[in-house]
Amino acid sequence: IVRNDFTQINLISPGEAVIKRSYAITILNDKADEFAGFYEYYNQFFSIEDIEGRLLDMTGKELKKVKKKDITDLSSESGSSISDTRYKTHHFYHKEYPYTVEYTSEVKVKGLFYLPGWIPQLHYSLAVEKSRMLVITPGSYKLRYKTYNFKGNEKITPHGAYTEYNWEVNNLKAMVAEPLMPSWARVRTQVSIAPSEFEIKGIRANMDTWKNFGSFIYRLTEGRDALPADMAQKVKTLTAGLNDPKEKI
C-alpha cells in the first residue's frame, strides 16, 4: 500500500530544475518486497543531492535509518548498450510483515530536455492511499503535459511570478491481473510532462513545435558530416591507388 507519495518539480530556468520526492509504502507480504527498495539514476544532466530513508515496524516504530555506506552505486550499462548513466539503490531486506519504508530524495537537473512524469500506481497489486505531483514553473513559462486515464482535473494556479500545476489521486484500489486484459501501461493513470523552452550544454532551444525541435537537432549535427581537413587527407593517403570500393573500405 502506497501510503503517501509526493513529487515536486521546480523549474527554475530553462537550464535548471530541482526534483524532490518523498514516499512511504507498507509491505504486507513477501510478494511486494521488490517495491520496498529505493532506486534513482544519475548522469551528467541529473545529480543526486540527497537521499534519506527509514524502516518502520507494524506499529510505526523506527527500526533503522539509511546510512551512506548502505547505498549501492551501480552502472546502468548492459551488454547491448554503453552509457555514462549510473544509479544509486538501497533496500532494507526486512522480512517481518507488515513493515513500512519511507524515502526522500533530491535531484538537481542541468538542462530541461527530459523531465520525469508521474505514475501513481506502478503495478496491479499496489493500492494507493494518496499520490500527488506538483510542478512549479516561472509565471510566463509554458509547461507541456499530457494525461492518461486521469479522472480528475489538473489544478493550474497562477501566482504572478510563478505557476503551480497540481495532479492528485486518492484511494486507488489494488487490482488483480486478468487474462487478455490490456497491458498495465495502457490502463494506469499517468501524466507526462515536457518543457517548451529549454537549455542543454549551453544550447537554448524550444520544442513547442516539430519545426522548432527539428531546428535544435539540426544545430547539433550542423557541420558534423564534413571530415576535418587533416582526416580527409589521411583518408586520401590510405586509399591512394585503390579503385575497388571494398578495398577502399
Side-chain angles (χ1 to χ4, degrees):
I1 303 173
V2 177
R3 317 308 293 268
N4 190 23
D5 188 352
F6 177 54
T7 301
Q8 178 174 318
I9 304 176
N10 290 357
L11 274 61
I12 300 170
S13 71
E16 184 180 4
V18 175
I19 303 171
K20 297 181 179 179
R21 188 186 178 203
S22 60
Y23 65 94
I25 179 169
T26 296
I27 307 301
L28 303 180
N29 54 55
D30 60 356
K31 294 180 180 179
D33 280 336
E34 63 180 294
F35 302 110
F38 172 87
Y39 172 98
E40 187 66 71
Y41 73 92
Y42 69 96
N43 52 35
Q44 58 181 312
F45 303 111
F46 292 79
S47 60
I48 301 174
E49 303 295 310
D50 186 45
I51 300 172
E52 295 181 6
R54 61 180 190 149
L55 170 68
L56 311 174
D57 69 8
M58 64 189 304
T59 67
K61 178 183 177 181
E62 182 180 297
L63 300 177
K64 190 181 296 185
K65 281 188 175 182
V66 172
K67 296 180 181 179
K68 191 172 182 179
K69 65 179 180 65
D70 299 328
I71 299 173
T72 304
D73 191 311
L74 299 171
S75 171
S76 66
E77 289 188 16
S78 66
S80 58
S81 66
I82 298 176
S83 171
D84 65 349
T85 297
R86 300 183 64 85
Y87 63 94
K88 294 183 182 291
T89 182
H90 176 270
H91 204 295
F92 284 108
Y93 296 107
H94 193 64
K95 291 296 181 181
E96 294 182 13
Y97 306 95
Y99 66 87
T100 298
V101 296
E102 295 179 351
Y103 286 103
T104 63
S105 64
E106 180 175 330
V107 175
K108 187 174 183 180
V109 184
K110 301 174 184 176
L112 303 187
F113 185 77
Y114 168 78
L115 292 171
W118 177 62
I119 305 174
Q121 196 170 17
L122 290 174
H123 197 272
Y124 294 99
S125 60
L126 282 178
V128 178
E129 288 188 357
K130 182 176 182 179
S131 181
R132 177 182 172 218
M133 180 172 72
L134 172 66
V135 182
I136 302 174
T137 70
S140 59
Y141 191 86
K142 180 182 177 181
L143 180 71
R144 299 165 56 243
Y145 62 88
K146 183 175 179 61
T147 62
Y148 304 85
N149 303 307
F150 180 66
K151 296 180 180 179
N153 294 312
E154 63 270 11
K155 296 180 181 178
I156 304 175
T157 310
H159 292 281
Y162 65 96
T163 300
E164 292 185 350
Y165 297 78
N166 189 79
W167 294 269
E168 182 176 328
V169 295
N170 296 278
N171 301 319
L172 300 180
K173 295 182 179 181
M175 298 173 61
V176 176
E178 299 179 7
L180 304 180
M181 73 181 296
S183 68
W184 185 238
R186 293 182 59 187
V187 300
R188 70 190 181 190
T189 297
Q190 180 174 342
V191 177
S192 297
I193 63 174
S196 50
E197 186 179 5
F198 66 96
E199 181 179 328
I200 187 166
K201 289 289 186 178
I203 301 176
R204 180 166 289 204
N206 186 291
M207 63 170 75
D208 257 352
T209 66
W210 280 111
K211 183 177 180 180
N212 287 341
F213 184 70
S215 296
F216 164 68
I217 298 298
Y218 179 81
R219 289 171 63 190
L220 294 182
T221 59
E222 188 175 10
R224 296 173 68 91
D225 57 341
L227 285 176
D230 58 337
M231 182 58 70
Q233 184 57 49
K234 183 176 182 180
V235 171
K236 289 180 180 179
T237 301
L238 289 171
T239 59
L242 300 178
N243 295 317
D244 182 63
K246 289 185 178 180
E247 290 182 344
K248 288 183 178 182
I249 293 171

